[in-house]
Amino acid sequence: MAGPTGAETELVAGFPVHAIDTNGAGDCHAGVLCAELSRGTGLREAVGIANAAAAIAVTRRGPATCPSRIEVEKLLSMQTL
Protein backbone atom coordinates (compact mmCIF):
# COMPACT_ATOMS: atom_id res chain seq x y z
CA MET A 1 0.00 0.00 0.00
CA ALA A 2 1.35 3.43 -0.87
CA GLY A 3 1.49 6.11 1.79
CA PRO A 4 0.68 9.82 1.33
CA THR A 5 4.05 10.50 -0.33
CA GLY A 6 3.70 7.57 -2.71
CA ALA A 7 6.20 5.47 -0.75
CA GLU A 8 5.25 1.94 0.20
CA THR A 9 4.07 1.41 3.77
CA GLU A 10 4.85 -1.69 5.78
CA LEU A 11 3.39 -3.14 8.95
CA VAL A 12 5.99 -3.98 11.56
CA ALA A 13 4.47 -6.40 14.04
CA GLY A 14 4.28 -5.68 17.71
CA PHE A 15 4.73 -8.07 20.60
CA PRO A 16 1.76 -9.55 22.46
CA VAL A 17 2.06 -8.81 26.17
CA HIS A 18 -0.25 -8.36 29.13
CA ALA A 19 -0.29 -4.56 29.53
CA ILE A 20 -0.23 -3.25 33.10
CA ASP A 21 0.24 0.49 32.43
CA THR A 22 0.57 2.23 29.06
CA ASN A 23 1.78 5.50 30.59
CA GLY A 24 5.09 6.37 28.92
CA ALA A 25 4.93 3.68 26.22
CA GLY A 26 4.95 6.24 23.41
CA ASP A 27 7.92 8.08 24.93
CA CYS A 28 9.78 4.78 25.24
CA HIS A 29 8.98 3.85 21.62
CA ALA A 30 9.99 7.25 20.26
CA GLY A 31 13.20 7.35 22.30
CA VAL A 32 14.32 3.87 21.31
CA LEU A 33 13.41 4.52 17.67
CA CYS A 34 15.49 7.72 17.62
CA ALA A 35 18.39 6.01 19.41
CA GLU A 36 18.40 3.13 16.95
CA LEU A 37 18.23 5.43 13.93
CA SER A 38 21.13 7.48 15.32
CA ARG A 39 23.13 4.23 15.62
CA GLY A 40 22.59 3.65 11.90
CA THR A 41 19.98 0.90 12.26
CA GLY A 42 17.66 0.68 9.26
CA LEU A 43 14.12 2.01 9.71
CA ARG A 44 12.29 -1.36 9.67
CA GLU A 45 14.67 -2.93 12.20
CA ALA A 46 14.63 0.21 14.37
CA VAL A 47 10.82 0.16 14.48
CA GLY A 48 10.89 -3.51 15.47
CA ILE A 49 13.32 -2.79 18.29
CA ALA A 50 11.21 0.17 19.44
CA ASN A 51 8.10 -2.04 19.34
CA ALA A 52 9.86 -4.56 21.59
CA ALA A 53 10.94 -1.86 24.04
CA ALA A 54 7.43 -0.41 24.25
CA ALA A 55 5.98 -3.90 24.73
CA ILE A 56 8.22 -4.42 27.74
CA ALA A 57 7.48 -0.92 29.06
CA VAL A 58 3.73 -1.52 29.24
CA THR A 59 4.25 -4.54 31.48
CA ARG A 60 5.52 -2.23 34.25
CA ARG A 61 3.81 0.42 36.34
CA GLY A 62 4.66 4.08 35.90
CA PRO A 63 5.89 6.33 33.13
CA ALA A 64 9.66 5.79 33.48
CA THR A 65 9.75 2.13 32.49
CA CYS A 66 11.82 1.96 29.32
CA PRO A 67 13.75 -1.31 29.45
CA SER A 68 17.48 -1.78 29.11
CA ARG A 69 19.02 -2.80 25.80
CA ILE A 70 19.73 -6.25 27.27
CA GLU A 71 16.04 -6.73 28.11
CA VAL A 72 15.02 -5.69 24.59
CA GLU A 73 17.61 -7.96 22.99
CA LYS A 74 16.32 -10.86 25.10
CA LEU A 75 12.74 -10.30 23.88
CA LEU A 76 13.91 -9.94 20.27
CA SER A 77 15.89 -13.17 20.50
CA MET A 78 12.67 -15.00 21.40
CA GLN A 79 10.68 -13.52 18.47
CA THR A 80 10.97 -13.22 14.71
CA LEU A 81 10.65 -9.71 13.30
Side-chain angles (χ1 to χ4, degrees):
M1 170 191 308
T5 63
E8 289 296 311
T9 59
E10 180 179 356
L11 175 66
V12 179
F15 295 81
V17 296
H18 176 74
I20 302 295
D21 185 351
T22 60
N23 189 13
D27 292 340
C28 174
H29 190 278
V32 170
L33 179 60
C34 289
E36 285 302 317
L37 292 173
S38 72
R39 290 172 50 112
T41 305
L43 180 59
R44 185 184 192 293
E45 183 180 357
V47 170
I49 294 168
N51 287 355
I56 295 169
V58 301
T59 66
R60 302 172 177 172
R61 293 194 189 284
T65 58
C66 197
S68 69
R69 182 165 193 84
I70 292 170
E71 292 172 298
V72 172
E73 288 173 354
K74 183 177 177 182
L75 176 59
L76 288 169
S77 74
M78 298 184 319
Q79 303 288 327
T80 316
L81 290 178

